[in-house]
Amino acid sequence: MSMKQETNHSPVDRVVDYIKTQIAEKQVNPGDRLPSERKLSELLKVGRPHIRAALQKLETYGVVETRPQSGTIVTEFSKSQIDNLFNETLKVDKYDFYSLVHVRVLLEIDACTLAATNCTSEDIDKVEKALRELEDCQDSKKRIEKDFAFHHAIACSSHNPVLASLLLIITPDIMKFYHKYRFCSVPERQVITEHRDYIAKMKARDTEGMRELVLSHLANQINFAKSQRRD
């Protein structure tokens, strides 16, 4: 199979496009393991750091999942949602930041309260892993992606795939606004504390506390989005 390559695509984008096409054309299916980083590097003629970055990006959006001793696996999400996610169903120039943030808050309230009710020990392990990766990340741009990956892990813990998928669909455009405005919602210490509180409330099955935490955690983001709202 040939892969379309555009000269203005970065190496990471080319890798993402290749894997997206493989999934769309059912060359790989949910549950299948992707080729190793070495094989993808040789096939696509790009460095392994670019392969790794592309896989991390795909994992952030829930398209693949890295499993110990199993490699990188295509998730069930990809089968029905891959085109919506990567074909830019939402357009930044059509939807303002406030509208996107407002929808995110509504979805996250339900997703997080359901996570506090429905989460399993395996779910909590995944959320804790996502938090460790976020706290260990020093790159400011990648921290935004790791932050969304953490919240996505919580949304998946709700065991409502529609909520998790809807959050994923709006995530790329919200991230574009984050990068555009170089927005940091709250001081880092407070972010760390609140992120750990998410896990504590999941473990305690504290749905009401989770609802209050979501609103508190996203309050600065809501206010900032309002200040950027177009008349």
Side-chain angles (χ1 to χ4, degrees):
M1 184 195 71
S2 63
M3 179 183 66
K4 292 182 179 179
Q5 296 189 10
E6 297 181 22
T7 56
N8 62 340
H9 270 29
S10 71
V12 173
D13 288 335
R14 292 195 346 249
V15 177
V16 169
D17 285 347
Y18 172 78
I19 295 174
K20 178 194 74 172
T21 302
Q22 289 283 88
I23 295 170
E25 295 183 356
K26 298 185 178 180
Q27 299 296 318
V28 291
N29 296 297
D32 289 349
R33 183 171 61 183
L34 292 178
S36 66
E37 289 182 10
R38 179 181 60 81
K39 289 183 178 179
L40 286 171
S41 177
E42 293 173 354
L43 175 66
L44 303 177
K45 310 299 182 187
V46 299
R48 290 180 67 172
H50 294 129
I51 299 293
R52 196 170 299 117
L55 293 176
Q56 288 176 347
K57 185 174 184 179
L58 289 164
E59 188 167 16
T60 295
Y61 293 148
V63 175
V64 301
E65 179 182 356
T66 301
R67 299 176 185 172
Q69 300 180 335
S70 297
T72 303
I73 308 298
V74 178
T75 66
E76 289 292 336
F77 168 80
S78 311
K79 186 175 183 180
S80 60
Q81 298 291 346
I82 184 92
D83 287 332
N84 286 340
L85 180 61
F86 286 99
N87 288 342
E88 297 184 333
T89 303
L90 297 177
K91 301 292 184 180
V92 171
D93 58 356
K94 182 177 180 181
Y95 298 99
D96 62 276
F97 188 30
Y98 175 76
S99 297
L100 291 166
V101 168
H102 181 70
V103 171
R104 179 192 176 188
V105 172
L106 293 176
L107 293 173
E108 286 223 17
I109 287 174
D110 280 347
C112 291
T113 53
L114 279 174
T117 301
N118 299 333
C119 67
T120 65
S121 59
E122 182 180 2
D123 292 327
I124 292 174
D125 288 344
K126 290 180 179 179
V127 174
E128 289 179 331
K129 176 178 180 290
L131 181 56
R132 287 194 300 271
E133 291 180 356
L134 169 59
E135 291 181 347
D136 291 343
C137 183
Q138 301 301 316
D139 185 287
S140 59
K141 184 175 181 179
K142 289 183 179 178
R143 278 184 66 84
I144 293 175
E145 297 177 359
K146 294 292 185 183
D147 183 271
F148 276 100
F150 168 74
H151 285 278
H152 175 59
I154 297 175
C156 289
S157 301
S158 72
H159 293 275
N160 183 322
V162 177
L163 279 174
S165 294
L166 288 173
L167 278 165
L168 275 174
I169 290 171
I170 67 173
T171 290
D173 284 332
I174 292 178
M175 288 177 62
K176 287 178 184 177
F177 277 108
Y178 266 49
H179 292 311
K180 177 180 178 180
Y181 296 126
R182 297 183 179 179
F183 173 68
C184 179
S185 58
V186 289
E188 185 175 352
R189 285 186 180 180
Q190 185 177 340
V191 170
I192 292 173
T193 298
E194 290 179 355
H195 281 163
R196 292 176 181 173
D197 282 347
Y198 274 96
I199 297 173
K201 295 190 187 306
M202 289 173 67
K203 291 179 176 179
R205 308 288 178 180
D206 183 359
T207 56
E208 188 57 37
M210 182 67 91
R211 179 184 296 271
E212 293 175 0
L213 177 60
V214 172
L215 290 172
S216 173
H217 185 65
L218 298 178
N220 281 14
Q221 182 182 130
I222 295 168
N223 292 333
F224 180 81
K226 284 181 179 178
S227 73
Q228 301 297 322
R229 196 172 190 181
R230 290 186 289 229
D231 296 328

